[in-house]
């Protein structure tokens, strides 16, 4: 076992300083890591996939609030627990898509511990990534991808590379991508804002890098733009193998803003569990604008979004599954998904 130093800094500057230059890849002894809820990091440490020598506990930092912004949006603190985010009155009423996605993920116990910032940084659930005895480019760059030609039933059909076919596991991130969230981070050199579409990476030749976050950057909060126009017509559809505590095989976040004449004024469409990051295409969304919401229009969008999909054999089923899920989610969104009690529509299907 490796000795671990535990620190609990009083402010962000102290937290960033506590990293102490302990950078490395996921298997390196000598990595320093922030810890909040720990719902993913502790599992990775138990499996010997990540071996930090320093844990920097950031739970005492002032990032645990949800506040309104001046432009009709919301500021979600990075340390707000997932459950508190999902059940917050302003999130439920203005962003039912986000509430639905969070409640479709994990278990109540995990949602009570997991944080908003940590959700963005969770690692893939690829079997080979978790098995430190087999080659994995994400865990140990340059060793190969055991999933290619191996057990690939849960793996990517979009955006994969010859170096990695893992998928991003988050439900919450699929909704955040559809909503156009902005990630705010702080480092010793200052602050910056990262559009959500630019936060997660495709694997390319560096699958060990999940995000564009620098080693010395700390997520402080997420900013949600005003999305009340979508509140009445949004849905999170999750297809999985059992009804609870299971990661998606395919998921869809769909939201529509309908004009008075019933045509689509604006659309949001993001796929989850099909790529290394939430999969969204702005051109396909733009192509829905002005159309009447019907099966033919939604089928065309599904075909376009999946035009470059490629399976590995065992996961070929994901392509028709994703096609049907897109059409189904857009249809449900068009019908209207919020009741007069303000409850979000959550559609979960086991296969």
């Amino acid at each position: 076992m490796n000795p671990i130093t535990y620190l609990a800094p009083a402010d962000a500057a102290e937290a960033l300083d506590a990293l102490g230059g302990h950078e490395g890849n996921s298997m390196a002894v000598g990595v320093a890591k922030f810890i909040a809820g720990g719902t993913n990091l502790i599992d990775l440490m138990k499996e010997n996939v990540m071996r930090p020598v320093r844990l920097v506990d950031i739970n005492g930092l002032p990032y645990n609030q949800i506040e309104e912004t001046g432009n009709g949006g919301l500021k979600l603190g990075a340390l707000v627990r997932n459950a508190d985010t999902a059940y917050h009155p302003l999130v439920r009423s203005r962003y039912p898509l986000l509430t639905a996605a969070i409640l479709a993920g994990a278990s109540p116990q995990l949602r009570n511990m997991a944080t908003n910032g940590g959700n963005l940084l969770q690692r893939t659930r690829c079997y080979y990534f978790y098995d430190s005895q087999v080659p994995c480019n994400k865990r140990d760059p340059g060793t190969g991808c055991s999933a290619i030609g191996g057990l690939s039933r849960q793996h990517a059909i979009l955006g994969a590379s010859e170096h990695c076919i893992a998928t991003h596991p988050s439900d919450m991130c699929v909704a955040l991508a559809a909503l156009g969230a902005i990630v705010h981070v702080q480092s010793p050199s200052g602050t910056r804002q990262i559009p959500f579409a630019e936060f997660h990476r495709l694997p390319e030749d560096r699958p060990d890098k999940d995000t564009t976050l620098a080693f010395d950057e700390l997520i402080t909060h997420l900013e949600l733009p005003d999305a009340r126009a979508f509140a009445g017509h949004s849905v999170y559809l999750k297809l999985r193998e059992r009804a609870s505590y299971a990661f998606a095989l395919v998921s869809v976040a769909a939201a529509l803003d309908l004009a008075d004449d019933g045509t689509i004024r604006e659309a949001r469409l993001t796929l989850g569990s099909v790529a290394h990051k939430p999969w969204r295409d702005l051109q396909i969304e733009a192509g829905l604008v002005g159309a009447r919401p019907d099966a033919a229009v939604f089928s065309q969008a599904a075909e376009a979004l999946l035009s470059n999909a490629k399976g590995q054999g065992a996961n070929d089923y994901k392509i028709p599954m994703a096609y049907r899920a897109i059409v189904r989610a857009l249809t449900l969104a068009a019908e209207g998904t919020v009741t007069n009690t303000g409850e979000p529509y959550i559609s979960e299907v086991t296969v």
Side-chain angles (χ1 to χ4, degrees):
M1 294 183 63
N2 303 308
I4 298 174
T5 301
Y6 172 83
L7 301 171
D11 55 38
E14 188 177 329
L16 292 166
D17 184 64
L19 291 178
H22 290 270
E23 184 177 10
N25 64 37
S26 58
M27 278 294 289
V29 176
V31 177
K33 288 292 180 183
F34 292 125
I35 187 168
T39 56
N40 188 206
L41 177 59
I42 297 301
D43 283 345
L44 293 167
M45 291 170 63
K46 288 178 180 177
E47 297 294 331
N48 204 36
V49 175
M50 300 185 76
R51 297 182 290 176
V53 297
R54 179 176 295 183
L55 290 179
V56 182
D57 188 337
I58 58 174
N59 281 296
L61 304 187
Y63 306 133
N64 59 354
Q65 300 293 321
I66 294 178
E67 303 170 315
E68 291 188 81
T69 61
N71 58 3
L74 285 185
K75 174 182 175 182
L76 308 178
L79 293 176
V80 179
R81 306 304 175 183
N82 284 176
D84 293 332
T85 300
Y87 290 118
H88 192 281
L90 291 177
V91 176
R92 289 164 69 99
S93 61
R94 297 185 187 181
Y95 305 92
L97 179 63
L98 180 58
T99 292
I102 294 173
L103 295 181
S107 65
Q109 294 90 339
L110 287 172
R111 293 195 297 266
N112 285 339
M113 285 297 297
T115 63
N116 291 339
N119 194 297
L120 272 60
L121 299 175
Q122 61 181 304
R123 309 300 303 275
T124 183
R125 265 53 178 193
C126 174
Y127 333 107
Y128 300 103
F129 175 72
Y130 270 81
D131 185 350
S132 59
Q133 303 304 307
V134 301
C136 172
N137 285 324
K138 178 175 285 295
R139 189 184 64 248
D140 193 4
T143 60
C145 177
S146 296
I148 297 176
L151 299 174
S152 59
R153 187 171 186 272
Q154 296 184 341
H155 289 71
I157 57 173
L158 289 165
S161 76
E162 62 180 335
H163 302 283
C164 182
I165 59 171
T167 58
H168 193 269
S170 174
D171 291 292
M172 180 179 180
C173 287
V174 182
L176 290 172
L179 292 168
I182 299 171
V183 184
H184 290 250
V185 303
Q186 182 173 343
S187 72
S189 59
T191 62
R192 72 178 177 121
Q193 301 177 18
I194 309 173
F196 206 83
E198 300 173 11
F199 184 78
H200 294 101
R201 297 180 65 257
L202 292 178
E204 300 173 332
D205 61 350
R206 288 299 307 272
D208 56 308
K209 289 186 171 292
D210 291 338
T211 73
T212 57
L213 195 69
F215 168 73
D216 61 351
E217 288 182 319
L218 171 66
I219 300 174
T220 59
H221 65 277
L222 307 172
E223 181 183 349
L224 294 178
D226 189 350
R228 283 173 286 186
F230 297 106
H233 294 275
S234 61
V235 65
Y236 186 71
L237 176 64
K238 180 175 183 177
L239 308 182
R240 50 182 168 177
E241 292 179 311
R242 58 181 185 270
S244 65
Y245 198 46
F247 295 99
L249 299 172
V250 171
S251 64
V252 184
L256 300 172
D257 174 15
L258 300 182
D260 292 339
D261 64 358
T263 59
I264 299 171
R265 185 157 41 204
E266 190 174 356
R268 302 290 175 86
L269 179 62
T270 304
L271 292 180
S273 295
V274 297
H276 203 255
K277 60 183 289 186
W279 194 264
R280 183 182 175 197
D281 189 316
L282 299 182
Q283 289 187 330
I284 292 170
E285 292 178 355
L288 289 168
V289 174
R292 292 201 169 275
D294 59 35
V297 168
F298 297 155
S299 294
Q300 290 174 0
E303 289 175 359
L305 195 57
L306 296 167
S307 60
N308 292 318
K310 179 182 179 182
Q312 297 289 327
N315 68 342
D316 289 353
Y317 74 93
K318 279 196 174 188
I319 299 174
M321 177 181 279
Y323 172 88
R324 293 183 177 92
I326 292 167
V327 175
R328 173 69 170 162
L330 287 169
T331 300
L332 289 170
E335 292 173 353
T337 60
V338 178
T339 71
N340 56 13
T341 62
E343 292 296 324
Y345 185 93
I346 308 172
S347 182
E348 301 178 16
V349 180
T350 54
V351 296

